[in-house]
Amino acid sequence: MEPSELTLIWAFIIGFGVIMYVLMDGFDLGLGILFPFAPDDIARDVMMNSVAPVWDGNETWLVLGGAGLLAAFPLVYSIVLPALYIGVFLMLAGLIFRGVAFEFRFKANTSRYLWDWAFAGGSMVAAFAQGAVVGAYIQGFETANRVYVGGALDWLTPFTVLTGLGLMAGYALLGATWLIMKSEGYIQDWAYRITLPLLAAVLLVFALVSVWTPFIDDMVRDRWFSAIQVIWVLPALASACAFLIFRSVRKRYEGMPFVATMGLFIFTYLGLLVSRWPYVVPPEYTIWDASSAYESQLFLLIGLIFVIPVVLGYTAWTYWVFRGKVRAGEGYH
């Protein structure tokens, strides 16, 4: 296997890990964002119980993607982390607050409202930070001699605020459609009511980012607008998924809104990758510039050949065991 081919395999693995994390942890972050707006405390119990068996397993993909990124593309860590220290810290702090709230809320009585806010606040902060990090990646990083030379707050701009709010809306949409699938009665009715306004918010942000992005980077503008490109099929498929969400909610389908929302995320994510490919630290360093030694990548790849099927297997088994509706008064805890 050629070194360039091995680097491409690692790029695929990291990309796969990231989208798995976004899809599988996105809906429980979305439930946290929706938490303060739930009809009552019973609905909040159902929301937490619907993800309690799977939320910690979902974050395996974050660990796997982060560890793989360090092993395969160390230059990303040496440049991107100094640029995003504050954003990454906020994301991790939010995930910690959310995780602690998962364990303590069910056991608390008089202090339950505090854990409600910890769960909601942690989810909102983590989701916003992730979206801002994505926006910073789109903007690119100021580097010199393979070192980040920008400021500590260069990542926080009007554009990254927009992408942060957009990802919050997207995660909330995932959470609402997940709740449609997992709940019943008045809780499901509430989830149906909020899904279409959330979809409208996501599409609005998607349109604003699509218009704004070409003005940020000439390469992105040329890639999308220099000629009719096959990559335009990605926004077309994303739009089709949005229509499918609208139609399935109007017809009160239960599983299709969630599946279509995952499709909307996948095609948007692929569009982002296509915009920046093959730059892993835009606007200067490609995946081959940032890759580690061939021997290191090959050694770690052998381990992942065994790890990834195991993770996929126990994830699928967990979702199968805890399939079906979550009813009031019942739950994992």
Side-chain angles (χ1 to χ4, degrees):
M1 185 186 302
E2 295 295 325
S4 60
E5 295 173 344
L6 184 58
T7 298
L8 283 173
I9 291 173
W10 267 104
F12 172 80
I13 291 172
I14 301 301
F16 176 74
V18 170
I19 190 58
M20 287 295 291
Y21 169 75
V22 168
L23 292 177
M24 302 186 71
D25 206 36
F27 62 82
D28 60 70
L29 281 168
L31 290 178
I33 294 169
L34 297 174
F35 218 59
F37 311 103
D40 52 34
D41 209 43
I42 294 174
R44 283 185 278 272
D45 287 342
V46 170
M47 292 166 73
M48 288 197 80
N49 279 319
S50 71
V51 294
V54 298
W55 74 271
D56 45 358
N58 292 343
E59 293 189 349
T60 302
W61 295 102
L62 179 63
V63 177
L64 183 64
L69 187 65
L70 175 61
F73 304 105
L75 184 65
V76 175
Y77 268 73
S78 65
I79 292 178
V80 174
L81 271 188
L84 301 175
Y85 270 139
I86 297 176
V88 172
F89 171 79
L90 288 174
M91 180 190 73
L92 294 177
L95 293 176
I96 290 170
F97 270 88
R98 188 179 64 112
V100 173
F102 257 114
E103 301 303 326
F104 281 83
R105 182 183 180 276
F106 289 101
K107 300 173 177 63
N109 293 314
T110 58
S111 62
R112 174 171 286 200
Y113 72 97
L114 295 175
W115 298 115
D116 286 348
W117 283 110
F119 180 63
S123 299
M124 291 177 183
V125 169
F128 176 81
Q130 289 178 16
V133 166
V134 171
Y137 171 76
I138 296 173
Q139 287 182 159
F141 303 95
E142 187 178 351
T143 62
N145 299 319
R146 301 168 73 90
V147 175
Y148 176 68
V149 295
L153 291 176
D154 284 2
W155 62 276
L156 190 60
T157 66
F159 181 76
T160 62
V161 170
L162 177 64
T163 56
L165 294 175
L167 192 61
M168 288 178 67
Y171 280 167
L173 178 62
L174 269 175
T177 53
W178 168 264
L179 197 60
I180 287 173
M181 186 172 63
K182 298 294 287 185
S183 65
E184 58 187 10
Y186 76 96
I187 301 173
Q188 186 186 61
D189 291 337
W190 173 71
Y192 274 120
R193 286 197 303 273
I194 64 175
T195 295
L196 292 184
L198 287 171
L199 175 62
V202 170
L203 293 178
L204 175 62
V205 174
F206 179 77
L208 291 174
V209 170
S210 299
V211 172
W212 198 334
T213 301
F215 293 97
I216 293 176
D217 190 280
D218 293 339
M219 187 200 77
V220 175
R221 182 172 61 250
D222 291 342
R223 179 156 295 179
W224 284 92
F225 297 104
S226 60
I228 298 299
Q229 302 280 355
V230 176
I231 57 177
W232 277 95
V233 73
L234 296 174
L237 290 172
S239 300
C241 288
F243 174 76
L244 192 56
I245 296 168
F246 174 81
R247 182 174 180 274
S248 58
V249 168
R250 294 294 296 269
K251 291 184 174 293
R252 294 184 70 86
Y253 295 152
E254 294 192 339
M256 185 55 68
F258 182 67
V259 174
T261 304
M262 289 197 294
L264 178 63
F265 265 80
I266 289 171
F267 295 123
T268 303
Y269 172 75
L270 291 176
L272 169 63
L273 291 185
V274 167
S275 298
R276 279 302 192 182
W277 179 262
Y279 292 91
V280 70
V281 185
E284 295 187 31
Y285 301 108
T286 68
I287 58 173
W288 296 283
D289 297 326
S291 63
S292 60
Y294 175 81
E295 293 78 10
S296 299
Q297 288 187 344
L298 184 60
F299 175 77
L300 291 165
L301 181 63
I302 294 172
L304 282 182
I305 289 174
F306 297 96
V307 171
I308 290 179
V310 171
V311 174
L312 287 172
Y314 78 65
T315 298
W317 175 249
T318 301
Y319 278 88
W320 172 255
V321 169
F322 293 98
R323 67 192 183 277
K325 298 287 187 179
V326 177
R327 297 176 175 85
E330 300 177 354
Y332 174 66
H333 282 75

